[in-house]
Amino acid sequence: MSDTIHDVIIIGGSYAGLSAAMQLGRARRKVLIIDEGLRRNRFASHSHGFITQDGTDPAIIAAEARAQVMRYSTVEWLAARAEAAARKGEAGPTTLLLNDAFEPNPDQLAGLAARDVIVERVGVKSIKGHADVLLADGRTISFSGLFALAPFEVATPILQQLGLDMERGPLVSTIKTDAMKQTSIPGVFSCGDAARPMASVALAVGDGSLAGVNAHRSLMFGATFQG
């Protein structure tokens, strides 16, 4: 184990750690989960507020989550307590293929440069093989893997009717919210795909929980309440 190099090491194998490991396992990343077996809610007999699992023993939820995560062959589990950590080395190369979708602004370019990301402005002609990208100028760049993003739009006119502020992104415009999921209009909350550029059931559930809790708090303390 000590000689193994992992892409990601997760300290804490409870719900959040297992959720992170699942995303990484699906991406075929080599992951190590270090967990000493002390979940925060280990003394609770019932879990509430999590759709499909309301009233379930949290130990059962954690056990099933672990079983599902460990089906990914690149994920390992170490029953231990992590005592120290140190940074060593740099992360493998990344190329951003703009493909005429957008042009990064100066701040975005600076951020990409700080992470040693190569920005390729020549358009993509085709993709072949495992992850070989043929560019419009005739060059072929081979990658270990590719991630693609498709543009999408919020499918309701209600946000324009209410006059909600929007976050403008290169591929999508989403409803602008604060950390508590409240929009620019007091008493109006937004969650899920409408309020974040990354579509995910897991993230939508978390967003919905925040929105519901804080809608309740706004009813208690007033629509202008800020968490």
Side-chain angles (χ1 to χ4, degrees):
M1 180 70 70
S2 60
D3 295 329
T4 302
I5 296 177
H6 296 88
D7 293 315
V8 179
I9 297 176
I10 297 174
I11 299 176
S14 190
Y15 313 102
L18 286 169
S19 182
M22 179 168 283
Q23 310 311 313
L24 292 160
R26 284 174 51 78
R28 301 179 184 177
R29 291 294 186 181
K30 191 167 184 58
V31 179
L32 174 65
I33 304 171
I34 303 175
D35 182 74
E36 63 175 330
L38 298 177
R39 287 182 294 105
R40 177 189 59 79
N41 66 349
R42 61 189 180 279
F43 301 114
S45 59
H46 297 85
S47 175
H48 293 285
F50 185 21
I51 57 172
T52 77
Q53 301 292 339
D54 194 51
T56 303
D57 185 335
I60 294 176
I61 300 174
E64 178 61 22
R66 177 176 172 178
Q68 292 181 7
V69 169
M70 298 311 295
R71 291 174 192 152
Y72 291 90
S73 60
T74 60
V75 180
E76 299 178 62
W77 183 281
L78 176 61
R81 176 182 175 84
E83 295 287 356
R87 183 172 182 175
K88 182 179 179 181
E90 297 295 332
T94 299
T95 299
L96 173 61
L97 300 164
L98 296 179
N99 200 32
D100 297 324
F102 80 110
E103 176 62 32
N105 61 39
D107 289 340
Q108 292 170 329
L109 287 173
L112 292 168
R115 296 193 294 272
D116 295 323
V117 175
I118 300 169
V119 178
E120 179 59 70
R121 289 180 169 80
V122 177
V124 175
K125 185 175 181 181
S126 64
I127 299 174
K128 58 184 180 181
H130 170 69
D132 300 322
V133 177
L134 177 62
L135 300 179
D137 62 4
R139 288 180 294 140
T140 296
I141 307 178
S142 297
F143 298 98
S144 298
L146 294 171
F147 292 88
L149 293 175
F152 62 94
E153 299 178 354
V154 178
T156 175
I158 292 177
L159 52 95
Q160 287 91 359
Q161 295 167 1
L162 292 175
L164 302 179
D165 288 349
M166 303 294 291
E167 292 276 10
R168 307 292 176 182
L171 297 174
V172 63
S173 293
T174 54
I175 299 172
K176 185 176 183 179
T177 68
D178 61 16
M180 298 294 105
K181 310 312 297 181
Q182 181 169 277
T183 68
S184 57
I185 305 296
V188 178
F189 297 82
S190 182
C191 54
D193 294 351
R196 67 164 60 245
M198 180 178 176
S200 164
V201 173
L203 294 177
V205 170
D207 277 359
S209 294
L210 273 176
V213 167
N214 288 290
H216 168 63
R217 295 174 76 185
S218 75
L219 292 170
M220 291 176 62
F221 301 107
T224 57
F225 170 79
Q226 297 291 324

